Amino acid sequence: MNLKKTYFLLLSCFILVFYTGNAQETTLNPKNEFRAVWIATVANIDWPKTSSDPIEKQKADFIEILDTYKKLNYNAVIVQIRSVGDAFYPTKLAPWSKYLTGKEGKAPADNFDPLEWMITEAHNRGFEFHAWLNPYRATMDLNTAILSPTHDYYKHPEWMIKYGGKYYYNPALPEVQTHLVAVVDEVVKNYDIDAIHFDDYFYPYKIKGEEFNDTASYQKYGNGLSLEDWRRLNVNNFVKYTSYAIKTRKPWVQFGISPFGVWRNKSVDPKGSDTQSGQTNYDDLFADPMAWMENSWVDYILPQLYWSMDHKTASYTKLLKWWSENSKNTAVYIGNGSYKINTDSDRRWFNPTEIPNQIDVTRSYKNINGNAFFSAKSFVNRNKAVTDLLLENQYKYPALPYVVPNSKKIVIDIPTVCNATSNSSCSTYTLNYPLNSKIRYVMVYEAKNGSKLDLNDPSQIIDKIAFKEKKDTISIVIPKNTEDKNTTYAVSFIDFYGNESKATQVSTKTDKKSNQSTMNNGSK
């Protein structure tokens, strides 16, 4: 290689490094980003650790998960509350889950409502709570003797189809769709959730040599469609009806679906991705995320890209690009397979930078706004090399989730301090109760060393306080920065849609009524 070529090679490398560095600086530590973790209850994957644990042990273990991800600056939990025709909450539509109490249909002691408690604990730590349901899976095996007499297998055997060593609800039956929509509607009505979440289980993954026997239903309801189009229509109708039920009940509650990561392979459809997936959403699960987005039936789509960056048959990088280019009318987040770290046959998962690199490349697409990780136990006292990297780099500071799609609006109420008291360690502020907006959180910002308050700077976020009071006023406590006398603070409101109000600057230097000034908040 001659000197001229060497010079240009070095110059190109320098420019590439410089450009990459600058590109990272523009996307690193965003103020708004979806950062979620799935908490799986089926088969006690994440929680409860065992179904025989007493309630206090179950509570402590759930709080450990929340506190772990709070320290990692996550902002949403996706908690499985229905996995196999069961429930983690009191209802007449399904029996209590055996994964909670050890026996299906057995209620927890002392009228304990796990769902209500989990929602409260999540909100107290600033998390969105996404209630995750598996609609169609009815059992995990064929041992029906362990099912509760109130399980739908016994109440409505005509709804069930046996396949692959499990029972499934027949998606074609109108009465099944009505029942499953009612399950969702009850949760939305009775609980202060932020979202309803479905995962990738629609029609079951195909098993070679076995047929999903819905022939009778197809003959009755097929209406001249091909079997494949008819099955996709069944799923589409269920998604549409579910969306309508949620938004009619509580329009701020989101509806999100996390489909399998491959819509179709390019070899089958030129619009598909450059993958060689053995099964796909459209052709095998009869799920069509493109239709859900086209018709705005979902608020967010969260495809499960559980492969490494350069996987041979299903590359994370290629699929990320495909979803970026083929998504519309909805928020888009990406599901990452943190469960594979240090365990998978793909050796790339033994490199602690795999997940951080996946986040970095995700952030390079402006229309993809965050990540979710399966599953919670991956980072609870495990994989410290990865969590250290995340805390030092990608997740160094907190972030706020995005506003519910198509719900951006001005929050009329602005925090107004009507009284403030101060001592050597903290200041307590009494805010007038918001009269015009449904408020979820009070945000607290801090600017140190005399620097200017900047609500777009996530490093200045110091607290996210759940708004629970129903009185005329609300009190918040801000610890003083005793080492820095030039620290300034501001507070703002977050409404149920995720919109943030203008902020009010407050003072910690007085025990009288606090001086305050209103600041513009451009973070939304």
Side-chain angles (χ1 to χ4, degrees), residues 393-407:
N393 300 285
Q394 287 77 15
Y395 290 173
K396 187 175 183 179
Y397 303 115
L400 298 182
Y402 281 86
V403 177
V404 176
N406 304 312
S407 301

Side-chain angles (χ1 to χ4, degrees), residues 8 13 68 96 129 155 175 182 202 206 242 310 333-334 382-383 392 404 406 423 425 437 465 467 470 477:
F8 279 109
C13 290
T68 294
W96 283 99
F129 190 98
K155 292 172 69 176
E175 52 270 38
F202 291 95
K206 286 185 176 178
T242 299
D310 301 312
Y333 314 125
I334 299 299
R382 292 173 63 185
N383 299 315
E392 291 165 6
V404 176
N406 304 312
N423 58 36
S425 61
S437 310
I465 303 170
F467 190 93
K470 304 184 185 302
V477 178

Side-chain angles (χ1 to χ4, degrees), residues 43 89 198 202 211 247 295 342 442 503 507:
Y89 54 93
F198 292 165
F202 291 95
E211 292 296 324
K247 296 303 180 180
N295 291 283
N342 295 324
V442 178
S507 169

Side-chain angles (χ1 to χ4, degrees), residues 90-109:
T91 175
K92 293 181 179 179
L93 298 178
W96 283 99
S97 175
K98 70 176 182 179
Y99 303 120
L100 180 70
T101 62
K103 181 180 179 181
E104 189 172 274
K106 180 183 176 182

Side-chain angles (χ1 to χ4, degrees), residues 3-252:
L3 287 175
K4 189 174 181 180
K5 286 184 178 179
T6 303
Y7 169 79
F8 279 109
L9 178 60
L10 290 171
L11 180 61
S12 299
C13 290
F14 173 79
I15 291 171
L16 178 61
V17 169
F18 180 80
Y19 173 79
T20 303
N22 277 305
Q24 274 195 328
E25 282 184 358
T26 60
T27 58
L28 198 62
N29 305 317
K31 165 74 181 290
N32 295 93
E33 183 173 58
F34 186 72
R35 301 174 185 172
V37 59
W38 277 284
I39 302 176
T41 59
V42 65
N44 301 107
I45 290 175
D46 291 310
W47 183 85
K49 289 187 177 179
T50 70
S51 60
S52 60
D53 286 341
I55 290 174
E56 291 310 312
K57 173 70 164 55
Q58 292 181 353
K59 286 183 174 181
D61 289 339
F62 190 79
I63 287 173
E64 182 183 28
I65 293 172
L66 294 182
D67 287 348
T68 294
Y69 285 90
K70 172 76 171 175
K71 290 174 184 175
L72 285 170
N73 289 320
Y74 281 57
N75 54 33
V77 289
I78 305 170
V79 183
Q80 191 174 32
I81 65 167
R82 176 188 171 94
S83 60
V84 282
D86 55 1
F88 268 68
Y89 54 93
T91 175
K92 293 181 179 179
L93 298 178
W96 283 99
S97 175
K98 70 176 182 179
Y99 303 120
L100 180 70
T101 62
K103 181 180 179 181
E104 189 172 274
K106 180 183 176 182
D110 303 322
N111 295 317
F112 175 54
D113 185 341
L115 180 52
E116 184 177 27
W117 178 84
M118 288 189 294
I119 293 168
T120 299
E121 293 298 322
H123 284 163
N124 284 346
R125 289 163 178 78
F127 290 105
E128 287 188 349
F129 190 98
H130 294 227
W132 165 20
L133 300 90
N134 297 99
Y136 293 139
R137 187 173 60 197
T139 70
M140 285 295 284
D141 53 40
L142 300 179
N143 184 9
T144 55
I146 64 173
L147 299 178
S148 165
T150 62
H151 192 283
D152 285 329
Y153 172 84
Y154 287 115
K155 292 172 69 176
H156 298 284
E158 72 279 8
W159 291 358
M160 300 294 153
I161 293 179
K162 183 168 69 171
Y163 182 79
K166 298 179 177 68
Y167 282 98
Y168 292 87
Y169 289 85
N170 184 351
L173 301 180
E175 52 270 38
V176 165
Q177 295 197 17
T178 300
H179 174 71
L180 295 178
V181 171
V183 168
V184 171
D185 182 62
E186 181 184 53
V187 173
V188 175
K189 176 185 176 182
N190 292 342
Y191 293 95
D192 188 19
I193 60 172
D194 298 283
I196 288 290
H197 179 93
F198 292 165
D199 58 15
D200 55 318
Y201 291 106
F202 291 95
Y203 278 84
Y205 285 86
K206 286 185 176 178
I207 299 170
K208 189 175 182 179
E210 190 168 352
E211 292 296 324
F212 189 78
N213 187 10
D214 55 359
T215 304
S217 300
Y218 178 51
Q219 291 173 347
K220 185 174 182 179
Y221 299 112
N223 199 29
L225 293 172
S226 69
L227 177 65
E228 293 78 10
D229 285 342
W230 172 73
R231 285 177 174 175
R232 280 187 286 271
L233 179 63
N234 293 332
V235 174
N236 285 346
N237 282 339
F238 175 55
V239 170
K240 176 173 64 177
Y241 300 149
T242 299
S243 176
Y244 179 79
I246 294 169
K247 296 303 180 180
T248 301
R249 179 73 66 182
K250 292 178 181 176
W252 61 85

Side-chain angles (χ1 to χ4, degrees), residues 31 445 455-456 492 500-503 519-524:
K31 165 74 181 290
Y445 298 86
L455 271 60
N456 292 311
S492 66
E500 186 170 13
S501 73
K502 290 182 179 180
M519 305 170 58
N520 286 321
N521 171 31
S523 68
K524 300 296 183 184

